[in-house]
């Protein structure tokens, strides 16, 4: 039995893009290159469906390249590189507990659990329709496939976690909060709320100003709150991906928020 961590670029999204592109191309042929329409209307329709087809082809190609880059069984294996890189920052004391927010297919939870076999790990996710193939049984099966027994998975909401304050010795996450509309700095604080004094955190996301606002001010806020350490580590300089990859994949601003409470 092998683990199946799926792909961060869902096949369903690729198929939908290809189908839409095909429909646009057919409409371009039917209305743009036949005599069904004429005059100005035909010209407008010709340009509209031509542009739509070109955009569809480019978008579909981008999604296919993303899928190939993220594929755990492919050549690049970028997802695995990112997961392993984050896990390297997660240290949990023996007997301690760690929370993975937005665990998806369980990849980060399991990677951290393998590095910390004497600690326990909880992965939570809402497993929404955007990633329909990601679910709790998938996480549990992946843990079994990896021979990991110190993990558990449950449904949860990153914006309102059900855990009490100071429940964990470490918290981690990967590419979660930027997908949630609203005050993302508040979502970070909600996760850090569950961290015990002396606990550590490693949160990877796209920390651009457009998504998070002023993160330097946020780091200062954490330090003013008494956090022993709080810093952002750029992951687009070759640590987890190249600068070029971060640009064409739309991951510019990716960084690790790490520190200690």
């Amino acid at each position: 039995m092998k683990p199946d961590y799926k792909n961060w670029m869902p096949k369903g999204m690729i198929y939908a893009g290809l189908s839409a592109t095909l429909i646009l191309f057919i409409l371009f042929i039917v209305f743009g290159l036949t005599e069904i329409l004429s005059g100005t209307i035909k010209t407008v329709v010709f340009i509209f469906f031509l542009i739509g087809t070109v955009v569809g082809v480019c978008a579909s190609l981008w999604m296919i390249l993303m899928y190939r880059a993220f594929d755990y069984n492919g050549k690049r294996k970028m997802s695995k590189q990112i997961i392993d890189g984050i896990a390297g920052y997660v240290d949990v004391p023996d007997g301690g507990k760690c929370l993975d927010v937005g665990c998806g297919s369980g990849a980060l939870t399991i990677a951290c659990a393998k590095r910390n076999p004497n600690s326990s790990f909880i992965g939570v996710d809402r497993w929404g329709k955007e990633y329909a193939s990601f679910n709790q049984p998938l996480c549990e099966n992946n843990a079994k496939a990896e021979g990991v027994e110190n993990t558990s998975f449950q449904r949860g909401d990153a914006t309102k976690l059900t855990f009490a304050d100071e429940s964990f010795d470490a918290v981690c996450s990967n590419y979660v909060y930027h997908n949630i509309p609203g005050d993302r700095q508040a979502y970070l604080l909600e996760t850090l709320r569950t961290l015990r004094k002396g606990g550590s955190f490693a949160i990877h996301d796209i920390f651009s100003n457009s998504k998070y606002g002023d993160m330097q001010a946020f780091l200062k806020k954490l330090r003013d709150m008494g956090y022993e350490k709080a810093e952002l580590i750029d992951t687009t300089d070759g640590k987890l991906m190249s600068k070029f990859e971060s640009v064409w994949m739309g991951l510019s601003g990716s960084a690790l928020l790490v520190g200690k409470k």
Side-chain angles (χ1 to χ4, degrees), residues 3-5 98-114 120-127 134-157 162-163 168 172:
D4 179 12
Y5 292 118
C98 178
L99 173 66
D100 176 17
V101 180
C103 61
S105 61
L108 180 57
T109 315
I110 293 168
C112 293
K114 291 171 73 174
S120 61
F121 291 79
I122 299 176
V124 299
D125 202 301
R126 72 182 185 86
W127 292 301
F134 290 45
N135 50 60
Q136 184 174 344
L138 173 66
C139 295
E140 294 169 345
N141 289 334
N142 284 336
K144 290 179 181 178
E146 294 278 15
V148 172
E149 298 181 349
N150 56 329
T151 60
S152 63
F153 301 93
Q154 63 187 64
R155 187 172 294 277
D157 183 351
T162 58
F163 305 103
F168 299 95
C172 61

Side-chain angles (χ1 to χ4, degrees), residues 143-190:
K144 290 179 181 178
E146 294 278 15
V148 172
E149 298 181 349
N150 56 329
T151 60
S152 63
F153 301 93
Q154 63 187 64
R155 187 172 294 277
D157 183 351
T159 68
K160 192 175 182 181
L161 297 168
T162 58
F163 305 103
D165 294 356
E166 302 187 3
S167 296
F168 299 95
D169 299 282
V171 294
C172 61
S173 184
N174 178 49
Y175 282 144
V176 173
Y177 309 92
H178 76 273
N179 289 312
I180 310 173
D183 187 347
R184 297 183 177 99
Q185 291 189 14
Y187 304 153
L188 292 175
L189 291 175
E190 169 63 9

Side-chain angles (χ1 to χ4, degrees), residues 9 19 26 66 72 77 79 85 93 97 103-104 114 122 125 134 143 158 167 181 193 227 253:
M9 175 55 66
S19 298
I26 292 173
M66 288 276 282
Y72 265 80
K77 297 181 181 179
S79 295
K97 295 167 56 179
C103 61
K114 291 171 73 174
I122 299 176
D125 202 301
F134 290 45
S167 296
R193 172 187 65 77
Y227 280 72

Side-chain angles (χ1 to χ4, degrees), residues 8 66 70 78-79 81-83 86 100-104 108 125 131 134 158 172-180 188 202-208 211-212 234-236 240-242 245-247 249-256:
W8 297 347
M66 288 276 282
F70 288 141
M78 186 171 170
S79 295
Q81 181 181 355
I82 291 173
I83 291 297
I86 301 169
D100 176 17
V101 180
C103 61
L108 180 57
D125 202 301
Y131 290 88
F134 290 45
C172 61
S173 184
N174 178 49
Y175 282 144
V176 173
Y177 309 92
H178 76 273
N179 289 312
I180 310 173
L188 292 175
I203 298 172
H204 188 235
D205 206 359
I206 304 174
F207 290 108
S208 61
K211 297 182 184 298
Y212 274 90
D234 183 8
T235 58
T236 67
L240 304 184
M241 70 195 80
S242 69
E245 286 175 325
S246 72
V247 172
M249 299 179 86
L251 302 176
S252 294
S254 291
L256 261 169

Side-chain angles (χ1 to χ4, degrees), residues 166 189 192 195-199 201 217-230 259-261:
E166 302 187 3
L189 291 175
L192 296 176
L195 189 63
R196 292 182 181 131
K197 182 65 176 177
F201 53 93
F218 181 76
L219 294 177
K220 183 179 183 302
K221 180 177 181 179
L222 291 182
R223 291 190 286 268
D224 290 343
M225 291 171 63
Y227 280 72
E228 182 178 330
K229 177 184 176 183
K260 187 175 182 180
K261 193 169 186 178

Side-chain angles (χ1 to χ4, degrees), residues 6-18:
K6 302 298 181 182
N7 196 295
W8 297 347
M9 175 55 66
K11 282 186 177 179
M13 190 178 297
I14 297 175
Y15 292 149
L18 290 172

